[in-house]
């Protein structure tokens, strides 16, 4: 019933509102999660080091057209302070995320990666957008372990409407490039984009499997007032949970975070994701003075105690280790 062999099974499960079927789906995804990636919730530290961005993504509050956004870029020493704090808590992964800042010197980032890797026993994940092969290569050889680059949607026409001036093919090529360089690679989508169908979400999940991703981030769309999608409703949280469950069942081994965007709707959804396939919590360590400026969407929760609430309510333990990719 819950074995998924392809797109049609996925659409059927994403569509159903039948409560026993949905809870059966969630339970099966939870079992698969336990079997392949275990019972612990992997804790990772995120530092959003810059909100400068040259792109004009229709959904994102950091888009270059938003002149209301106050831009910031952390210095290397500010970033190292955050990394030192993450290390002091025993967390062994730092995710360095930013807008796509064309003025960023790739060699500056390379030096920063080397500095982190020489001082700490920590995995470094980058999430800084589309760059040239040579940049990806230099960062890898400087010690970066992982890279997150969400495809956002696999519907080419929708992708290109939402990302003016960007190319769908280039995004896919970047993901392939990162894989070929030996990064552990994460991608993912946004659920509830205007113009997105259930078939298209199923195609996204087919794509995750085809790319054999190590990490998959799936989150609901959250409207931001300074974007073209300001008057749209947010994505359906229940549908997003179903997409996570189907992804867990279909891809089995991927690390799947329960993303902050859930909390912008209701933090119970962020908790619920851990019962339907998710196994990673990305905790924010961006310094207080910058946190609100990283306004990709509004209502980003300050998650200070949430991980403890979650481990308490799920009875699962925290895993602070590097939490490398799991291969089956
Ligand atoms: N510049 C980097 C990081 C982007 S921010 C990159 O291009 O990869 C990380 C993720 O936030 C994006 O990949 C996108 O999926 C998500 N995001 C941005 N705005 C959003 C919104 N309004 N609603 C939901 N998710 C959003």
């Amino acid at each position: 019933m819950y074995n998924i062999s392809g797109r049609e099974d996925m659409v059927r499960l994403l569509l159903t509102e039948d409560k026993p079927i949905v809870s059966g789906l969630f339970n099966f995804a939870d079992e698969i999660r336990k079997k392949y990636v275990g019972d612990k919730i992997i804790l990772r530290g995120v530092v959003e080091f810059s909100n400068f961005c040259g792109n004009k993504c229709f959904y994102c509050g950091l888009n270059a057209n938003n002149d209301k956004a106050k831009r910031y870029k952390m210095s290397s020493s500010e970033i190292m302070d955050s990394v030192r704090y993450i290390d002091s808590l025993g967390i062994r992964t730092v995710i360095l995320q930013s807008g796509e800042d064309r003025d960023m010197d790739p060699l500056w980032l390379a030096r920063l990666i080397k500095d982190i890797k020489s001082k700490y026993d920590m995995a470094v994940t980058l999430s800084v957008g589309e760059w040239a092969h040579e940049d990806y290569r230099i960062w890898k050889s400087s010690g970066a372990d992982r890279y997150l680059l969400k495809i956002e949607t696999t519907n080419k026409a929708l992708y290109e409407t939402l990302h003016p001036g960007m190319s769908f093919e280039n995004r896919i090529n970047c993901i392939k490039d990162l894989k070929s360089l030996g990064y552990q690679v994460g991608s993912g989508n946004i659920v509830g984009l205007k113009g997105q169908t259930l078939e298209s979400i199923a195609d996204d999940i087919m794509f995750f499997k085809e790319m054999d991703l190590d990490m998959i981030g799936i989150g609901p769309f959250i409207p931001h007032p300074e974007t073209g999608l300001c008057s749209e409703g947010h994505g359906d949280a229940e549908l997003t949970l179903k997409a996570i469950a189907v992804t867990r069942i279909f891809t089995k081994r991927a690390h799947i975070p329960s993303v902050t965007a859930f909390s912008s709707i209701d933090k119970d959804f962020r908790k619920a994701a851990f019962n339907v396939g998710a196994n990673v919590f990305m905790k924010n360590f961006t310094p207080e003075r910058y946190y609100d400026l990283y306004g990709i969407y509004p209502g980003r929760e300050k998650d200070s105690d949430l991980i403890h609430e979650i481990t308490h309510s799920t009875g699962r333990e925290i895993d602070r280790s590097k939490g490398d990719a799991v291969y089956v």
Side-chain angles (χ1 to χ4, degrees):
M1 169 109 191
Y2 299 108
N3 283 317
I4 297 169
S5 61
R7 195 169 177 266
E8 274 169 31
D9 290 335
M10 292 179 188
V11 173
R12 175 174 53 79
L13 291 166
L14 294 171
L15 184 65
T16 186
E17 307 238 319
D18 182 303
K19 286 214 159 61
I21 296 182
V22 173
S23 67
L25 168 70
F26 288 169
N27 289 338
F28 187 54
D30 199 44
E31 271 173 42
I32 300 279
R33 185 267 309 150
K34 191 179 165 88
K35 181 167 167 200
Y36 287 89
V37 296
D39 248 342
K40 292 190 173 165
I41 294 179
I42 303 173
L43 185 58
R44 312 201 192 276
V46 182
V47 182
E48 294 145 342
F49 66 89
S50 163
N51 69 354
F52 281 92
C53 195
N55 290 340
K56 295 173 180 165
C57 308
F58 249 58
Y59 43 83
C60 182
L62 302 185
N63 72 79
N65 291 333
N66 181 6
D67 351 300
K68 289 202 184 146
K70 192 174 156 222
R71 307 284 168 170
Y72 73 92
K73 180 177 179 198
M74 289 169 68
S75 66
S76 302
S77 73
E78 284 177 309
I79 299 171
M80 289 307 282
D81 285 346
S82 297
V83 175
R84 185 178 317 113
Y85 182 54
I86 294 170
D87 175 75
S88 75
L89 299 176
I91 298 172
R92 303 261 75 91
T93 294
V94 60
I95 299 160
L96 300 174
Q97 190 176 81
S98 70
E100 215 170 282
D101 178 6
R102 286 291 145 217
D103 291 334
M104 178 181 79
D105 177 1
L107 297 178
W108 168 84
L109 184 56
R111 283 192 298 274
L112 182 74
I113 297 163
K114 278 192 192 147
D115 202 16
I116 298 172
K117 296 298 284 191
S118 68
K119 294 198 170 88
Y120 304 106
D121 177 25
M122 217 184 246
V124 172
T125 303
L126 303 177
S127 175
V128 300
E130 294 178 27
W131 290 79
H133 177 85
E134 185 55 12
D135 302 322
Y136 287 156
R137 193 190 61 74
I138 290 171
W139 296 334
K140 184 76 180 64
S141 67
S142 303
D145 300 275
R146 311 184 186 131
Y147 206 103
L148 305 177
L149 188 67
K150 289 176 67 173
I151 189 70
E152 319 293 3
T153 171
T154 52
N155 180 320
K156 177 176 154 66
L158 181 59
Y159 182 91
E160 289 180 351
T161 310
L162 294 172
H163 303 93
M166 291 171 74
S167 138
F168 181 66
E169 283 75 22
N170 193 54
R171 193 109 183 144
I172 293 186
N173 287 338
C174 284
I175 294 170
K176 290 184 176 162
D177 216 3
L178 290 160
K179 280 178 69 88
S180 73
L181 285 164
Y183 284 91
Q184 294 172 41
V185 175
S187 189
N189 67 349
I190 302 179
V191 171
L193 292 165
K194 188 183 180 201
Q196 186 184 44
T197 60
L198 296 183
E199 285 74 12
S200 163
I201 296 171
D203 287 340
D204 297 348
I205 302 171
M206 296 296 291
F207 171 81
F208 302 155
K209 174 85 175 176
E210 192 188 311
M211 290 285 130
D212 193 21
L213 297 168
D214 302 301
M215 299 156 305
I216 303 171
I218 297 174
F221 162 70
I222 307 295
H224 186 291
E226 299 302 324
T227 63
L229 297 176
C230 59
S231 48
E232 299 301 318
H234 63 69
D236 177 346
E238 179 89 0
L239 175 61
T240 312
L241 291 174
K242 285 197 261 178
I244 289 177
V246 170
T247 299
R248 168 58 69 205
I249 294 166
F250 200 59
T251 68
K252 299 189 171 60
R253 70 176 192 89
H255 286 312
I256 301 182
S258 173
V259 299
T260 317
F262 272 123
S263 292
S264 296
I265 304 174
D266 187 324
K267 74 178 179 189
D268 283 349
F269 291 119
R270 192 159 185 207
K271 292 185 195 169
F274 288 103
N275 296 321
V276 308
N279 71 315
V280 175
F281 188 93
M282 303 192 339
K283 186 169 164 54
N284 203 294
F285 289 93
T286 307
E288 190 76 35
R289 60 192 177 283
Y290 301 124
Y291 183 78
D292 287 332
L293 299 179
Y294 197 77
I296 49 181
Y297 46 76
R300 294 201 318 143
E301 152 207 39
K302 304 214 165 61
D303 56 22
S304 47
D305 262 341
L306 189 63
I307 180 67
H308 297 109
E309 274 180 49
I310 289 170
T311 47
H312 189 83
S313 69
T314 56
R316 309 234 297 268
E317 276 172 37
I318 299 179
D319 176 0
R320 292 185 163 73
S321 74
K322 287 184 183 167
D324 276 313
V326 171
Y327 301 99
V328 291

